[in-house]
Amino acid sequence: MLPMEATTEILLSLAVCLVAGLFMSRFAKLLKLPAVTGYLVAGLLIGPVCLGRFDIPGIGFSDFHQVEHLGILCDVALGFIAFAIGNEFRLSQLRRIGRQATIVGVFQALVTAVVVDIALIGLHFIKPDVISLETAITLGAIATATAPAATLMVVRQYKAKGPLTDILLPVVALDDAVGLVVFAVSLGIAKALSSGSVSIVSVLVNPLIEIIGSLLLGFVMGVIFSLCEKFFLSNSKRLAMSITFVILTVALAQLKFEIPGTEIHIGFSNLLVCMMLGTVFCNVCDFSEELMEKTDKWTAPLFILFFVLSGAELDLTKFTSLAVLGVGAVYIISRSLGKYYGAKWSAAAAHCSPNIRKWLGITLLPQAGVALGMSVIAKTELGGGDTIRNIVLFGVLVYELFGPLLTKIALTKAGDIQPKQPKVVISADEDEE
């Protein structure tokens, strides 16, 4: 049980997060920026590097441990984000774009990893004291991940609809699935290089177990969820059941098992499990669309907290090192090129429309939660993990501040975001004329 003072401080911090996020979103609107950018800037302002320096209890975060203590909210928010993206995998829609989304999702992720690997490995041979080979390989894998949260928020805020939006969300989902595999393989290779021994189990077996296990767990939970929903007829009860199952699925996704005497680890991906939950639900339940709309409204404050806390988590003091800034710049440029041209080439191979070929890559630039999670794993399991963490943080700062804006521009140029038409008021006299 938390002391009263600690409980009060946490509640005050959450309230400050919401207020700061809401007001910064209004400021962002004046500058014609997406609300996501405003939430992230709000997090920076109330985080340890700005307002938190004054160490006022409940007003801002005085250190990064306070932000980490609220990490459970971010896990739950990511669960709901993944659940919403899973709703895009309707069979009727997949029949139209499934093949194209698969080709683009897999190919652009692999191209990005190769481009970043080439750039950073090249930098290693030029400046071996700046970045190690293991770090370069691991960063190449982390570069594959795209932030589903930022992309989804921009799509919702501007009510984007069209061919580019239709393929974007499935591609983002597949992108993260491919990224998990590439990361696990690359991390296994990096660990082998640092230790001198290669383990097939860590390189291939554990990643496959995680993906297959996540999909199976999500499928089972989706079936149970769909069956349970039929026992309730009121919308409020069904909404409560939806929220319950997403939270329950997030909790189960945290479980980890080890087979004694082996290197095999059984774990789950929060994103993949909740995506599969949403996919099964939207295809089995006949009232899923109506329920998803209600769930979206309920989760709006949760998503604001997620982005504000993500902004507060960014430690600007880590970017005073020229080495971090230099490697970070190479990482950002090479990842951007990989995403853009990987999406463009794969969209052409999948016979997508010219608009999708031109603008899809730009919408895949945002990077946050999944990449940060990968960097935490790399930090704990690999020597030089601090360097990886700092470079990824630098990339996240740049991509999350500018990525949503670029996504909005791309969706607008592609015609998926329609500019608001000014209201024309006709007076009674003019009407008579």
Side-chain angles (χ1 to χ4, degrees), residues 310-339:
S310 296
E313 200 177 19
L314 298 175
D315 186 358
L316 298 182
T317 61
K318 300 290 186 183
F319 311 141
T320 55
S321 165
L322 290 177
V324 171
L325 292 176
V327 177
V330 174
Y331 172 81
I332 290 168
I333 293 168
S334 57
R335 180 181 179 271
S336 301
L337 290 173
K339 285 290 179 186

Side-chain angles (χ1 to χ4, degrees), residues 80-200:
F80 278 101
I81 288 163
F83 178 66
I85 290 177
N87 192 50
E88 301 300 320
F89 286 90
R90 294 181 180 273
L91 290 178
S92 57
Q93 187 176 359
L94 288 177
R95 290 189 188 101
R96 285 191 297 110
I97 62 165
R99 175 180 165 276
Q100 292 179 330
T102 302
I103 292 172
V104 175
V106 174
F107 188 77
Q108 59 81 25
L110 295 177
V111 167
T112 302
V114 171
V115 171
V116 176
D117 274 340
I118 291 172
L120 293 180
I121 291 172
L123 182 63
H124 162 73
F125 286 113
I126 296 170
K127 292 278 188 180
D129 56 324
V130 171
I131 182 171
S132 67
L133 187 58
E134 297 89 342
T135 299
I137 292 171
T138 306
L139 283 170
I142 293 174
T144 59
T146 299
T151 304
L152 183 66
M153 287 292 283
V154 172
V155 168
R156 284 183 178 172
Q157 180 184 352
Y158 297 101
K159 297 178 173 61
K161 289 182 180 178
L164 180 55
T165 306
D166 287 343
I167 196 172
L168 171 59
L169 294 178
V171 165
V172 169
L174 288 168
D175 174 278
D176 287 328
V178 175
L180 289 170
V181 178
V182 174
F183 173 73
V185 172
S186 298
L187 185 62
I189 294 170
K191 287 165 69 176
L193 288 172
S194 60
S195 65
S197 61
V198 179
S199 170
I200 299 298

